Amino acid sequence: MSSSDYAVFARGLEKRYGDKRALDGFDLTVEHGTVHGLLGPNGAGKTTAVRALATLIRLDGGRAEVGGADVAREARQVRSRIGLTGQYAAVDEILTGRQNLEMFGRLFHLGGTLAARRAQELLEQFDLEAAADKGAGGYSGGMRRRLDLAASMILAPSVLFLDEPTTGLDPRGRSEVWDSVRNLVTGGTTVLLTTQYLEEADRLASRITVIDQGRAIADDTPDGLKATVGGSHLEVVVAEAADLPAVEKAVARVARGATETVIAERRVQAAVTDRVAALTDVARTLQDEGIAVEDIGLRRPSLDDVFLQLTGDRPAQDRDADGAYATYEKTEAAA
Ligand SMILES: Nc1ncnc2c1ncn2[C@@H]1O[C@H](COP(=O)(O)OP(=O)(O)O)[C@@H](O)[C@H]1O
Ligand SMILES: [Mg+2]
């Protein structure tokens, strides 16, 4: 296949801001009709990559094609093929959802009738009909983000860039946006989605590129990436530190590799393969032995786990800014 057979084909992208290399030899290949995840911590270079591919900033080096057009030499063609949704919603809160979409349609020179028809189609597609004539200021986070998605789809671009579309949303808003993204791809759109959440990339993307310090450090399927990381982790927290050796023994029997004990937190953890069986086995053993368990649960691999495996270190941003990176989700025993 040649480079023009891909929705996005980028090689050796460079972008500097002063001494900072925001992109430092970044490569990306995205197949048509797929959701491709660009996964990385804060400051990794995700937004810079997306803005460069969307022709919004000029590259210092490397070459990129989007929909077969060169971002430097054929910027106009690139722009006619793409849509871009930023991290922050661009909707006008005073206007209704419908008015917002009609306004965007007119901005794109659709003309009144066509803009109204397109707005109606998009309201249906993004499940916003019920709230179509209410002020967008009263929309939930998930609804606003979907309105933003709808606005970026006015001209039915073949490639859509979604920059952290669910950051700041509650779980419900997040799953609403996920549904919308899945619908887009069913409709044939190629989506490049940036995210800090492995879980999000896992749910939506057929392929994931991991970016760190302006470089792609992995490119794999979600399953391949999770296999690298070692699947789910089982965690047990006990009331008494004296029980830790017994817990270690119980966890070791179901662990895929070594167990890890954090004495200060009275916690034992290990990677497991058969999630539910491992959880049940350990819970039963500890109960039989009369050990007081404070918390027991399964934790899916997080971005942190991916980085620990790929680089032997935590995400770059986590080293100097605490709390900024994605925290993991706990799956409670009952779930
Ligand atoms: N306009 C800019 N001026 C200076 N530095 C920038 C600018 N944009 C991005 N950077 C820096 O480039 C790096 C990558 O940023 P960015 O692409 O926004 O990362 P991400 O979207 O993954 O959080 C960061 O260190 C950031 O501070
Ligand atoms: Mg960003």
Side-chain angles (χ1 to χ4, degrees), residues 160-161 248:
L160 183 63
F161 298 110
E248 273 173 12

Side-chain angles (χ1 to χ4, degrees), residues 229-236 247-262 267-273 299 305 309:
V229 179
S232 293
H233 291 248
L234 175 66
E235 285 186 347
V236 184
V247 177
E248 273 173 12
K249 219 169 121 191
V251 173
R253 291 199 327 205
V254 298
R256 236 169 48 99
T259 65
E260 188 191 336
T261 303
V262 185
R267 176 160 54 93
V268 177
Q269 63 189 46
V272 296
T273 31
R299 174 163 76 73
D305 297 320
Q309 276 304 323

Side-chain angles (χ1 to χ4, degrees), residues 47 87 163-164:
T47 298
Q87 207 167 322
D163 194 8
E164 299 200 26

